[in-house]
Amino acid sequence: MSEQLADRKFALFDSAIGICGIVWTMRGVEAVQLPLPDKDKTRMRILQRFGSVAEAVPPDAVQAAIDGMYALLEGKPADLSNVVLNLDGVGEFDRRVYDIARTIPPGRTMTYGDIAKRLGGVELSRDVGQALGRNPCPIVVPCHRVLAAGDKPGGFSANGGVATKLKMLTIEGAIINHTPGLFD
């Protein structure tokens, strides 16, 4: 077993949107699991994704990330830009998307097109959306702050879908002019 897999750990933590999970290695935070309907399902999802990872007490740096996410989801100002991420398994394009998303402050939003333009052209908008759909560290990489054209919510792959995204944006104080449609 590789050293990195051997040192992979996880913890669950409470938040305003439910029980979340965090996975880390010595190199940094590797994943954040948004809540599933209950604690056991959140734990099971982490074990499905990462295998026999051990549940543990977070080290100080990971606890600071948890505290920041907790505060942010309580509507308090929290800067997560200093959370060290371990994105070794993530492709270069996705990393560039995540780097840009991490610059969006709480309560603010960008569109997929805005990020695509910064990466070379609006034609990359769909690729940006797909990269955000693969985001292993939601909240720390705030994919919920990225909207579709016309400031529509776009997709959100977490449990609860767009409703969860809108709840997170509301907690952060973002102004979203969206009336949910029949399929939202």
Side-chain angles (χ1 to χ4, degrees):
M1 179 184 308
S2 77
E3 182 178 323
Q4 185 171 332
L5 293 178
D7 82 337
R8 185 182 281 149
K9 307 275 190 278
F10 84 97
L12 300 178
F13 63 96
D14 198 14
S15 78
I17 62 171
I19 302 292
C20 297
I22 188 166
V23 178
W24 71 89
T25 68
M26 292 172 39
R27 297 192 50 166
V29 173
E30 190 171 357
V32 174
Q33 176 64 51
L34 292 176
L36 291 171
D38 63 54
K39 179 189 267 188
D40 290 335
K41 288 183 177 154
T42 302
R43 179 182 287 111
M44 183 60 65
R45 179 67 180 125
I46 290 169
L47 294 173
Q48 287 171 341
R49 287 177 64 194
F50 295 97
S52 59
V53 59
E55 194 164 355
V57 174
D60 291 345
V62 175
Q63 186 61 52
I66 291 170
D67 293 345
M69 288 186 280
Y70 181 86
L72 190 67
L73 292 170
E74 288 286 318
K76 298 175 182 149
D79 179 8
L80 301 176
S81 64
N82 61 345
V83 174
V84 176
L85 299 177
N86 176 4
L87 298 176
D88 287 347
V90 174
E92 182 60 31
F93 179 83
D94 289 11
R95 285 183 198 204
R96 291 173 52 212
V97 170
Y98 304 157
D99 287 345
I100 294 169
R102 288 186 83 183
T103 69
I104 308 168
R108 304 293 297 268
T109 61
M110 290 180 84
T111 65
Y112 300 115
D114 293 335
I115 293 176
K117 287 176 195 169
R118 289 179 62 181
L119 293 170
V122 73
E123 66 277 0
L124 296 172
S125 295
R126 184 172 306 235
D127 298 318
V128 168
Q130 290 171 347
L132 291 169
R134 291 186 293 270
N135 177 12
C137 299
I139 307 171
V140 177
V141 176
C143 52
H144 63 282
R145 296 180 192 149
V146 183
L147 306 175
D151 290 331
K152 293 180 181 173
F156 199 60
S157 58
N159 186 50
V162 172
T164 299
K165 181 176 191 171
L166 293 172
K167 182 176 182 178
M168 292 169 73
L169 289 168
T170 299
I171 289 169
E172 291 184 1
I175 309 258
I176 304 296
N177 293 324
H178 173 68
T179 303
L182 180 61
F183 299 105
D184 285 338

